[in-house]
Amino acid sequence: ILNVEQSPQSLHVQEGDSTNFTCSFPSSNFYALHWYRWETAKSPEALFVMTLNGDEKKKGRISATLNTKEGYSYLYIKGSQPEDSATYLCASPDSGAGSYQLTFGKGTKLSVIP
Amino acid sequence: KAGVTQTPRYLIKTRGQQVTLSCSPISGHRSVSWYQQTPGQGLQFLFEYFSETQRNKGNFPGRFSGRQFSNSRSEMNVSTLELGDSALYLCASRPDPGRNQPQHFGDGTRLSIL
């Protein structure tokens, strides 16, 4: 079972602030890194799937970078808005029996204060 | 396209009983995974099914079992319920269990054990 860690555990920012948080994963036998957003009372939603070292993905004000050699990924939110309040999860696939099960970190809970 | 559908949404059981949860994946998705979410533990992988075969199983006791039908619908069963089984159970589907395939989650079944 992979060890996927996220920091910080929670974060409070003012509306308009930019913020970022970290996902750490084992750099050996790397397959991919997934990011999800989980809003309260909704289901987790996939944001990005990243596979290559140096990968950078962007979706609106949210972007992510990947460093597979050192085993970390950053998620950035530019100009945070109240609707960005959610728990952000990262996950890394682990190979077994012909499929790639996802091991999730415990998430970073972001609260954007209006 | 309809999303992942889980039934029931809420369930209350007592210790010692058994429960069956149902999941209908997105049309065309043949991989279904189950996760347990408890406070402080994050999403814990239970098992993944693909083409009616269990491909991976997480570190859960044998009381937790599942199956997948030929139409890709999946059920999860928990026997001899314990208080610690109280959790949100999420089902997720994807076209196949490849490492780059993001999970599409249902809204979950909230199970409470009295």
Side-chain angles (χ1 to χ4, degrees), chain A residues 34 36 43 51 96-97 99-100, chain B residues 40 55-56 94 97 99-100 103 106:
Chain A
H34 297 222
Y36 293 80
S43 53
T51 57
S99 75
Y100 292 88
Chain B
R55 293 304 180 102
N56 272 308
R94 47 187 179 168
R99 58 187 174 179
N100 295 344
Q103 294 280 25

Side-chain angles (χ1 to χ4, degrees), chain A residues 2-106:
Chain A
L2 293 178
N3 187 24
V4 179
E5 295 186 347
Q6 293 187 246
S7 62
Q9 190 175 351
S10 65
L11 197 52
H12 291 77
V13 301
Q14 292 288 335
E15 182 176 351
D17 287 351
S18 294
T19 187
N20 66 86
F21 20 94
T22 307
C23 173
S24 301
F25 52 87
S27 55
S28 59
N29 296 321
F30 173 80
Y31 296 108
L33 195 283
H34 297 222
W35 280 102
Y36 293 80
R37 174 171 58 198
W38 194 357
E39 297 177 67
T40 303
K42 294 187 178 180
S43 53
E45 171 198 6
L47 287 172
F48 308 115
V49 178
M50 309 176 77
T51 57
L52 299 175
N53 185 44
D55 232 358
E56 191 167 334
K57 301 258 183 177
K58 191 174 180 182
K59 186 176 183 177
R61 293 178 292 97
I62 303 176
S63 61
T65 60
L66 179 68
N67 184 323
T68 61
K69 293 183 179 178
E70 296 183 40
Y72 65 84
S73 176
Y74 292 137
L75 190 80
Y76 300 91
I77 302 178
K78 186 177 178 182
S80 303
Q81 298 297 309
E83 58 265 30
D84 296 327
S85 296
T87 296
Y88 291 83
L89 299 168
C90 67
S92 191
D94 193 9
S95 175
S99 75
Y100 292 88
Q101 67 185 67
L102 290 180
T103 298
F104 282 83
K106 292 185 179 180

Side-chain angles (χ1 to χ4, degrees), chain B residues 25-45:
Chain B
I26 291 172
S27 177
H29 286 193
R30 293 161 58 202
S31 169
V32 174
S33 297
W34 289 89
Y35 295 87
Q36 181 196 65
Q37 202 253 351
T38 53
Q41 288 300 315
L43 283 174
Q44 302 284 306
F45 173 76

Side-chain angles (χ1 to χ4, degrees), chain B residues 8-73:
Chain B
R9 290 295 309 278
Y10 303 93
L11 207 46
I12 299 174
K13 292 284 187 179
T14 56
R15 280 182 297 174
Q17 287 187 308
Q18 71 150 17
V19 68
T20 299
L21 312 182
S22 180
C23 173
S24 293
I26 291 172
S27 177
H29 286 193
R30 293 161 58 202
S31 169
V32 174
S33 297
W34 289 89
Y35 295 87
Q36 181 196 65
Q37 202 253 351
T38 53
Q41 288 300 315
L43 283 174
Q44 302 284 306
F45 173 76
L46 280 156
F47 24 67
E48 181 168 28
Y49 287 86
F50 178 64
S51 295
E52 301 177 65
T53 302
Q54 187 180 90
R55 293 304 180 102
N56 272 308
K57 185 172 166 56
N59 190 24
F60 279 82
R63 300 185 296 107
F64 291 81
S65 63
R67 58 178 175 168
Q68 187 180 35
F69 302 95
S70 58
N71 62 357
S72 296
R73 191 177 70 85

